[in-house]
């Protein structure tokens, strides 16, 4: 590096240090006199006035007059949200520089490189899995002041996924990120898994917002980030605002722009159109009322490991209940790494259809005593998974390294979302392990390969499939996830060699046999196709059978009682269907039967409803496949005629599209078919699925 550049860098560092001293002192002593402040930070009064003026103009400091006898203390100073965020960034810059100086001095004196990890890859504070890492929270006193000031800011109400992301940003789980990604960082992450400074980071952490909200925001503006109850969790200084290429993001991050992938579906159909980026200043962590004793921040886990003297810790990532194969796997992983074990399940957002986290945590706690207490612990991770396979594995490793883990178990098809639209796996079975292995030195947590464990009947034990030499001479037993769900649904035996009785008992409590579960029958089709008529006939037949309450959510009934203020724009029709889906999910969750009969023209909205309901019970989509020509013939209200004349705008099938269901559970024809016969077809389908007893 040449001399002028060194001089320039030194001058810039000195200015930054001076600004840091000023901001730090103003926060600690907002009512101090100018003379006291000048002496504390080592500058003249004239220099101090210039610094205060520059900081105020930059939006870092507020100045207010005080009334009192002492003329030397007639002003009070405070830090703005932007000032607090700037102070945090300056702290990190100062520490980075000092650690770099230490590393250079260490090398000069000893002739060897110090054990600090390279600055371009990890935070300099992460000397080991036991040292504290940076958080984005301000002090308690600062948080109280900032909360009052933030109440006047423009607010953004966070989605559940954004709350998960914000929590891990603030507590250091996403270290070295200091906020939601800037556009430059986002582009680097999408294209090559690196931030703009070269740091490895595989997953875009972005604040997506609506067009309407984005229009109100200016670059440099501070906004308040609130949870769904309106509580202010943090402030953010908006440094970037852009419209992303979501198709490119889907291709690069998830491997395909295919809506069969849950994260791609979320990207296109749920996430806002505009991304905001900028540093975050944490005020308070989100409140969790469940399993509070099991929720640990990265620094809390590091302190726990430090207290117990755990130098090596292997983390086990899971979003499913633990069975005997998982126990054997984790035992082997800990033994192989000669490490202690952290069971670290995700309790944020997982794949639609997964077992709810309340049930899963009860299952984990039921089998935790199967592990040696002195070598194993469990903590819950409030992460919103993306199911991004290889990239997700690297991301999970970085997060576990931040939590103090030295090793991480990477599974076969780790965080895979299942099948794509062509019926093929999104990722290869070992793609995640290959990508992790390629970046292992930067991640900071060594990979432990996930072994495919199977039960060998003759030896009455679990063994790794690829280590069995006499496969042809033994009986290998295994139960897939699909088979387990079938056995639970049908009330069939689940053998003790597969799972623990305590786990099976918890799963049966949550997932009773299908004949005792609630479910939703969702009719869709053109106006006049016969949906309501068949739905009414089905309701009567199910009520005749008895056993479960039946509720009809017909399109006209819902429009009158639930959505009377809505029009017929695409936005309003989507909202109407989502309201129907929410009510149906509550009915299903509580063991009832919901029968829905809206037009529901859009496939993405129907999928949203399916995912919401399938958390609690079965969703049966019935396509009433009456042709548009036949529907026009039956048109008693004259709606089709008015639509043809242009008097009704956005009418399904005429001036607005209808997405024909591709894979409905049942498709019924109504032309020249009795209503009773159509309803009976639905009954037969419900019987075949085990939802009602055969008559």
């Amino acid at each position: 590096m040449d001399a002028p550049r060194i001089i320039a860098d030194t001058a810039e560092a000195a200015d930054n240090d001076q600004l840091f001293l000023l901001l730090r002192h103003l926060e600690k002593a907002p009512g101090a006199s100018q003379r006291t402040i000048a002496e504390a930070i080592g500058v003249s009064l004239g220099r101090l006035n210039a610094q205060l003026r520059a900081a105020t103009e930059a939006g870092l400091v507020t100045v207010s007059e005080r009334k009192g006898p002492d003329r030397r203390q007639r002003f009070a100073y405070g830090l703005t949200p932007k000032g607090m965020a700037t102070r945090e960034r300056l702290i990190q810059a100062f520490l980075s520089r000092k650690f770099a100086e230490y590393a250079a001095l260490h090398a000069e004196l000893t002739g060897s490189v110090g054990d600090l990890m390279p600055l371009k890859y990890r935070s300099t504070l992460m000397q080991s899995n036991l040292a504290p890492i940076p958080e984005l929270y301000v002090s308690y006193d600062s948080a109280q002041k900032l909360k009052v000031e933030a109440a006047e800011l423009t607010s953004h109400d966070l989605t559940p996924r954004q709350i998960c992301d914000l929590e891990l940003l603030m507590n250091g789980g996403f270290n070295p990120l200091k906020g939601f990604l800037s556009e430059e960082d986002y582009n680097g992450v999408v294209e090559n898994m690196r931030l703009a400074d070269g740091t490895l980071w595989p997953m875009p952490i972005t604040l997506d917002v609506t067009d309407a909200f984005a229009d109100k925001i200016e670059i440099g503006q501070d906004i308040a980030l609130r949870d769904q109850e309106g509580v202010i969790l943090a402030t953010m200084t908006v440094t970037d605002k852009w419209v992303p290429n979501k198709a490119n993001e889907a291709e690069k991050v998830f491997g395909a722009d295919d809506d069969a992938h849950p994260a791609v579906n979320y990207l296109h159909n749920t996430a806002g159109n505009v991304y905001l980026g900028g540093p975050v200043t944490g005020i308070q962590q989100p409140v969790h009322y469940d399993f509070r004793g099991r929720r640990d921040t990265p620094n809390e886990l590091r302190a726990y490991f430090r207290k117990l003297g755990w130098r090596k810790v292997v983390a086990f990532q899971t979003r499913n209940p633990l069975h005997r194969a998982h126990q054997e796997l984790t035992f082997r992983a800990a033994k192989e790494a000669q490490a202690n074990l952290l069971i670290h399940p995700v309790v944020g957002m997982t794949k639609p259809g997964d077992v709810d986290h309340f049930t899963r945590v009860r299952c984990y706690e039921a089998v935790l005593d199967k592990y040696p207490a002195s070598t194993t612990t469990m903590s819950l991770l409030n992460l919103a998974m993306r199911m991004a396979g290889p990239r997700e594995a690297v991301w999970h490793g970085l997060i576990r390294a931040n939590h103090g883990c030295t090793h991480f178990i990477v599974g076969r098809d780790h965080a895979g979302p299942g099948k794509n639209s062509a019926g093929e796996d999104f990722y290869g079975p070992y793609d995640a392990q290959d990508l992790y292995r390629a970046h292992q030195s930067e991640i900071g947590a060594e990979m432990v390969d996930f072994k495919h464990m199977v039960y060998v009947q003759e030896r009455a034990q679990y063994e790794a499939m690829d280590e069995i030499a006499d496969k042809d001479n033994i009986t290998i037993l295994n139960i897939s996830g699909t088979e387990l769900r079938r056995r639970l649904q049908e009330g069939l035996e689940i053998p003790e060699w597969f799972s623990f009785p305590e786990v099976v008992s918890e799963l049966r409590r949550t997932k009773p046999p299908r004949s005792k579960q609630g479910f939703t029958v969702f009719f869709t089709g053109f106006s006049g196709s016969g949906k309501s008529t068949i739905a009414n006939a089905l309701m009567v037949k199910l009520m005749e059978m008895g056993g479960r309450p039946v509720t009809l959510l017909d399109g006209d009934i819902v429009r009158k009682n639930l959505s009377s203020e809505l029009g017929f724009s695409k936005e309003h029709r989507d909202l109407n269907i989502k309201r129907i889906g929410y009510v149906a999910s509550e009915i299903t969750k509580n063991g009832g039967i919901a029968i829905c009969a809206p037009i529901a023209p859009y496939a993405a909205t129907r999928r949203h409803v399916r995912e919401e309901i399938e958390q609690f019970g079965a969703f049966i989509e019935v396509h009433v496949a009456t042709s548009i020509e036949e529907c026009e013939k039956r048109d008693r209200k004259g709606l089709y005629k008015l639509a043809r004349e242009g008097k009704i705008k956005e009418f399904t099938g005429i001036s607005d599209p209808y997405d024909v269901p591709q894979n409905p559970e049942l498709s019924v024809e109504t032309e020249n078919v009795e209503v009773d016969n159509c309803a009976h077809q639905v009954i037969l389908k419900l019987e075949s699925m085990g939802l009602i007893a055969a008559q």
Side-chain angles (χ1 to χ4, degrees), residues 623-635:
H623 178 213
V624 183
T626 311
S627 67
I628 191 76
E629 293 78 16
E630 179 64 21
C631 291
E632 287 199 65
K633 291 178 186 177
R634 299 176 182 179
D635 186 18

Side-chain angles (χ1 to χ4, degrees), residues 14 17 63 90 124 143 227 361 369 490 510 578 643 654:
D17 288 349
V63 183
L90 291 173
T124 50
D227 68 12
V361 174
D369 61 1
E490 299 180 14
T510 306
K578 288 178 180 178
I654 303 299

